Amino acid sequence: DGGITQSPKYLFRKEGQNVTLSCEQNLNHDAMYWYRQDPGQGLRLIYYSQIVNDFQKGDIAEGYSVSREKKESFPLTVTSAQKNPTAFYLCASSPLLGELFFGEGSRLTVL
Amino acid sequence: DQQVKQNSPSLSVQEGRISILNCDYTNSMFDYFLWYKKYPAEGPTFLISISSIKDKNEDGRFTVFLNKSAKHLSLHIVPSQPGDSAVYFCAASPSGGSNYKLTFGKGTLLTVNP
Protein backbone atom coordinates (compact mmCIF):
# COMPACT_ATOMS: atom_id res chain seq x y z
CA ASP A 1 0.00 0.00 0.00
CA GLY A 2 1.24 3.49 -0.81
CA GLY A 3 1.70 5.90 2.02
CA ILE A 4 3.92 7.82 4.37
CA THR A 5 5.67 6.20 7.28
CA GLN A 6 6.94 8.19 10.22
CA SER A 7 9.07 6.75 12.98
CA PRO A 8 9.28 6.61 15.85
CA LYS A 9 5.72 7.29 16.92
CA TYR A 10 6.82 8.39 20.39
CA LEU A 11 10.21 9.73 21.36
CA PHE A 12 11.65 11.03 24.59
CA ARG A 13 14.72 13.21 24.65
CA LYS A 14 16.85 14.73 27.33
CA GLU A 15 17.61 18.41 27.08
CA GLY A 16 20.71 19.07 25.01
CA GLN A 17 20.32 16.01 22.80
CA ASN A 18 19.69 16.00 19.08
CA VAL A 19 17.05 13.61 17.78
CA THR A 20 16.14 12.58 14.24
CA LEU A 21 12.62 11.79 13.09
CA SER A 22 12.28 9.56 10.06
CA CYS A 23 9.85 10.07 7.18
CA GLU A 24 9.59 7.75 4.19
CA GLN A 25 7.06 7.84 1.35
CA ASN A 26 6.37 5.42 -1.48
CA LEU A 27 3.88 7.61 -3.32
CA ASN A 28 6.49 8.86 -5.80
CA HIS A 29 5.75 12.42 -4.71
CA ASP A 30 8.25 15.12 -5.57
CA ALA A 31 7.55 17.34 -2.59
CA MET A 32 7.90 16.59 1.12
CA TYR A 33 7.18 18.70 4.19
CA TRP A 34 7.59 18.81 7.95
CA TYR A 35 4.97 20.44 10.14
CA ARG A 36 4.75 21.00 13.86
CA GLN A 37 1.50 20.96 15.81
CA ASP A 38 1.16 22.31 19.33
CA PRO A 39 -1.98 21.93 21.46
CA GLY A 40 -4.74 24.24 20.26
CA GLN A 41 -2.66 25.42 17.33
CA GLY A 42 -2.74 24.98 13.60
CA LEU A 43 -0.02 23.21 11.68
CA ARG A 44 3.13 25.25 11.16
CA LEU A 45 5.63 24.53 8.41
CA ILE A 46 9.19 23.77 9.49
CA TYR A 47 10.92 22.78 6.22
CA TYR A 48 9.91 21.63 2.78
CA SER A 49 11.62 20.09 -0.22
CA GLN A 50 10.40 20.05 -3.79
CA ILE A 51 13.28 18.12 -5.30
CA VAL A 52 16.10 15.84 -4.19
CA ASN A 53 19.11 17.62 -2.70
CA ASP A 54 17.18 20.85 -2.24
CA PHE A 55 15.07 22.12 0.65
CA GLN A 56 13.71 25.41 1.94
CA LYS A 57 12.98 26.86 5.36
CA GLY A 58 9.39 27.20 6.40
CA ASP A 59 7.93 29.53 9.01
CA ILE A 60 9.63 28.00 12.06
CA ALA A 61 12.91 26.45 10.87
CA GLU A 62 15.12 27.65 13.72
CA GLY A 63 16.57 24.74 15.71
CA TYR A 64 15.73 22.16 13.04
CA SER A 65 17.64 20.64 10.13
CA VAL A 66 16.67 18.35 7.25
CA SER A 67 18.18 16.47 4.35
CA ARG A 68 16.74 15.13 1.09
CA GLU A 69 19.26 12.68 -0.31
CA LYS A 70 16.59 10.40 -1.76
CA LYS A 71 13.18 11.17 -3.21
CA GLU A 72 11.54 8.80 -0.75
CA SER A 73 13.11 10.12 2.44
CA PHE A 74 13.03 13.43 4.32
CA PRO A 75 14.41 13.08 7.88
CA LEU A 76 14.05 15.90 10.38
CA THR A 77 16.65 16.55 13.08
CA VAL A 78 15.53 18.45 16.15
CA THR A 79 18.67 20.03 17.51
CA SER A 80 19.51 21.24 21.00
CA ALA A 81 19.11 24.77 19.64
CA GLN A 82 15.33 24.28 19.43
CA LYS A 83 14.09 26.00 22.57
CA ASN A 84 10.76 24.28 22.92
CA PRO A 85 10.90 20.98 21.04
CA THR A 86 8.07 19.13 22.80
CA ALA A 87 5.38 18.85 20.12
CA PHE A 88 3.63 16.61 17.61
CA TYR A 89 5.53 16.44 14.30
CA LEU A 90 3.83 15.63 11.02
CA CYS A 91 5.52 14.72 7.77
CA ALA A 92 3.65 15.11 4.49
CA SER A 93 4.23 14.63 0.81
CA SER A 94 2.50 15.78 -2.35
CA PRO A 95 2.86 16.08 -6.08
CA LEU A 96 4.18 19.54 -6.95
CA LEU A 97 0.55 20.58 -7.48
CA GLY A 98 -1.88 18.55 -5.43
CA GLU A 99 -3.12 17.87 -1.95
CA LEU A 100 -0.95 16.91 0.98
CA PHE A 101 -0.76 13.34 2.23
CA PHE A 102 0.24 13.12 5.88
CA GLY A 103 1.95 10.49 7.96
CA GLU A 104 0.60 9.47 11.35
CA GLY A 105 2.94 11.77 13.23
CA SER A 106 5.70 11.55 15.82
CA ARG A 107 5.26 12.85 19.35
CA LEU A 108 8.46 14.21 20.84
CA THR A 109 8.72 14.87 24.56
CA VAL A 110 11.72 16.56 26.12
CA LEU A 111 12.37 15.44 29.68
CA ASP B 1 -1.34 37.47 13.49
CA GLN B 2 -3.72 34.68 12.64
CA GLN B 3 -4.60 34.79 8.97
CA VAL B 4 -6.92 31.77 9.13
CA LYS B 5 -9.30 31.64 12.06
CA GLN B 6 -11.55 28.87 13.24
CA ASN B 7 -13.30 30.57 16.10
CA SER B 8 -15.16 27.54 17.40
CA PRO B 9 -12.79 25.10 19.11
CA SER B 10 -15.54 22.51 19.30
CA LEU B 11 -18.98 21.64 17.94
CA SER B 12 -21.42 18.94 18.98
CA VAL B 13 -24.32 17.74 16.80
CA GLN B 14 -26.77 14.87 16.73
CA GLU B 15 -26.43 12.08 14.21
CA GLY B 16 -28.43 12.82 11.07
CA ARG B 17 -28.41 16.60 11.56
CA ILE B 18 -26.30 19.14 9.71
CA SER B 19 -22.82 20.08 10.92
CA ILE B 20 -21.57 23.53 9.93
CA LEU B 21 -17.92 24.36 10.52
CA ASN B 22 -16.80 27.92 9.94
CA CYS B 23 -13.54 29.51 8.91
CA ASP B 24 -12.58 33.17 8.43
CA TYR B 25 -9.50 34.55 6.74
CA THR B 26 -7.88 37.95 6.61
CA ASN B 27 -5.43 37.71 3.71
CA SER B 28 -7.13 38.86 0.50
CA MET B 29 -4.40 37.10 -1.51
CA PHE B 30 -5.73 33.68 -0.52
CA ASP B 31 -7.41 32.08 -3.50
CA TYR B 32 -7.45 28.37 -2.71
CA PHE B 33 -9.04 26.82 0.34
CA LEU B 34 -9.04 23.31 1.74
CA TRP B 35 -10.47 21.31 4.59
CA TYR B 36 -8.55 18.51 6.26
CA LYS B 37 -9.94 16.00 8.74
CA LYS B 38 -7.88 14.49 11.55
CA TYR B 39 -8.67 11.52 13.77
CA PRO B 40 -6.74 11.09 17.05
CA ALA B 41 -3.27 9.56 16.61
CA GLU B 42 -3.50 9.86 12.83
CA GLY B 43 -2.30 12.41 10.31
CA PRO B 44 -4.80 14.78 8.67
CA THR B 45 -6.46 13.63 5.47
CA PHE B 46 -7.67 15.86 2.66
CA LEU B 47 -11.44 16.29 2.58
CA ILE B 48 -12.50 18.94 0.08
CA SER B 49 -11.22 22.11 -1.56
CA ILE B 50 -12.51 25.20 -3.36
CA SER B 51 -10.86 27.83 -5.49
CA SER B 52 -11.84 31.47 -5.40
CA ILE B 53 -13.50 31.31 -8.82
CA LYS B 54 -16.28 29.22 -7.29
CA ASP B 55 -18.61 29.81 -4.38
CA LYS B 56 -19.60 26.22 -3.76
CA ASN B 57 -18.08 22.77 -4.11
CA GLU B 58 -19.87 19.58 -3.26
CA ASP B 59 -18.61 16.04 -2.68
CA GLY B 60 -21.18 13.61 -1.38
CA ARG B 61 -22.23 14.64 2.12
CA PHE B 62 -19.64 17.43 2.23
CA THR B 63 -20.16 20.90 0.77
CA VAL B 64 -17.85 23.88 1.10
CA PHE B 65 -19.20 27.39 0.62
CA LEU B 66 -16.99 30.41 -0.04
CA ASN B 67 -18.06 34.00 0.54
CA LYS B 68 -15.17 36.09 -0.79
CA SER B 69 -16.62 39.45 0.17
CA ALA B 70 -16.94 38.32 3.78
CA LYS B 71 -13.67 36.34 3.66
CA HIS B 72 -15.54 33.40 5.08
CA LEU B 73 -15.89 29.75 4.21
CA SER B 74 -17.93 27.01 5.76
CA LEU B 75 -18.03 23.24 5.58
CA HIS B 76 -21.46 21.59 5.70
CA ILE B 77 -21.81 17.90 6.49
CA VAL B 78 -25.26 16.47 5.80
CA PRO B 79 -26.29 14.13 7.29
CA SER B 80 -23.71 13.95 10.07
CA GLN B 81 -22.52 10.52 11.14
CA PRO B 82 -20.66 9.38 14.27
CA GLY B 83 -17.67 8.51 12.06
CA ASP B 84 -17.39 12.20 11.18
CA SER B 85 -16.24 12.93 14.72
CA ALA B 86 -12.76 14.38 14.24
CA VAL B 87 -10.81 17.64 14.22
CA TYR B 88 -11.38 19.66 11.05
CA PHE B 89 -8.69 22.06 9.85
CA CYS B 90 -9.34 24.86 7.42
CA ALA B 91 -6.35 25.88 5.27
CA ALA B 92 -5.76 28.62 2.71
CA SER B 93 -3.15 29.37 0.11
CA PRO B 94 -2.37 32.24 -2.26
CA SER B 95 -1.33 31.91 -5.87
CA GLY B 96 -2.93 28.72 -7.06
CA GLY B 97 -2.47 26.44 -4.12
CA SER B 98 1.22 25.86 -3.53
CA ASN B 99 1.34 23.61 -0.50
CA TYR B 100 4.34 25.32 1.06
CA LYS B 101 2.28 28.51 1.24
CA LEU B 102 -0.61 26.91 3.10
CA THR B 103 -1.79 28.56 6.30
CA PHE B 104 -3.79 26.35 8.66
CA GLY B 105 -6.42 27.29 11.20
CA LYS B 106 -6.33 25.89 14.74
CA GLY B 107 -9.02 23.33 14.03
CA THR B 108 -12.54 22.56 15.25
CA LEU B 109 -13.32 19.37 17.11
CA LEU B 110 -16.59 17.96 15.79
CA THR B 111 -18.45 15.41 17.90
CA VAL B 112 -21.42 13.65 16.33
CA ASN B 113 -23.58 12.00 18.97
CA PRO B 114 -25.52 8.83 18.10
Side-chain angles (χ1 to χ4, degrees):
Chain A
D1 273 10
I4 300 179
T5 302
Q6 287 187 240
S7 63
K9 207 160 188 170
Y10 299 95
L11 185 60
F12 298 88
R13 186 193 96 174
K14 292 182 181 177
E15 282 195 32
Q17 287 181 335
N18 292 357
V19 292
T20 297
L21 307 180
S22 169
C23 179
E24 304 277 331
Q25 56 102 356
N26 61 4
L27 299 167
N28 199 33
H29 286 164
D30 289 304
M32 297 187 74
Y33 315 79
W34 275 103
Y35 288 91
R36 170 179 171 142
Q37 185 186 13
D38 294 286
Q41 300 294 319
L43 307 180
R44 292 183 291 168
L45 183 64
I46 305 172
Y47 268 99
Y48 67 97
S49 167
Q50 294 184 292
I51 194 170
V52 174
N53 292 322
D54 187 54
F55 48 83
Q56 305 296 328
K57 291 181 179 180
D59 300 318
I60 54 165
E62 186 175 349
Y64 299 98
S65 66
V66 293
S67 63
R68 187 91 186 274
E69 296 176 4
K70 298 187 299 182
K71 187 175 185 178
E72 303 80 17
S73 179
F74 192 42
L76 173 75
T77 297
V78 185
T79 75
S80 56
Q82 169 47 235
K83 299 300 179 199
N84 187 18
T86 295
F88 188 59
Y89 291 89
L90 283 161
C91 179
S93 70
S94 75
L96 288 179
L97 289 176
E99 286 70 37
L100 294 167
F101 288 75
F102 285 90
E104 294 190 341
S106 295
R107 185 166 298 281
L108 172 63
T109 302
V110 174
L111 304 173
Chain B
D1 176 31
Q2 239 188 303
Q3 297 187 65
V4 177
K5 300 177 187 179
Q6 294 178 256
N7 291 320
S8 297
S10 63
L11 174 68
S12 183
V13 300
Q14 285 299 119
E15 181 178 5
R17 307 294 287 269
I18 184 171
S19 295
I20 301 177
L21 296 98
N22 293 305
C23 179
D24 297 295
Y25 61 96
T26 57
N27 188 340
S28 56
M29 299 301 293
F30 288 150
D31 65 1
Y32 188 64
F33 306 88
L34 308 94
W35 287 92
Y36 282 85
K37 173 180 176 179
K38 184 182 181 302
Y39 292 117
E42 295 184 12
T45 55
F46 169 73
L47 189 58
I48 193 168
S49 64
I50 188 167
S51 81
S52 59
I53 62 172
K54 300 174 80 172
D55 54 20
K56 176 182 172 181
N57 189 26
E58 194 170 350
D59 184 2
R61 296 185 297 112
F62 302 90
T63 303
V64 57
F65 295 92
L66 176 62
N67 182 334
K68 291 184 285 293
S69 60
K71 293 191 177 69
H72 176 83
L73 64 155
S74 60
L75 174 68
H76 293 213
I77 306 174
V78 184
S80 301
Q81 300 174 354
D84 296 328
S85 298
V87 176
Y88 289 79
F89 291 99
C90 171
S93 173
S95 310
S98 300
N99 285 321
Y100 64 88
K101 296 180 184 176
L102 274 176
T103 300
F104 285 84
K106 293 184 177 183
T108 296
L109 173 63
L110 172 66
T111 303
V112 180
N113 301 302

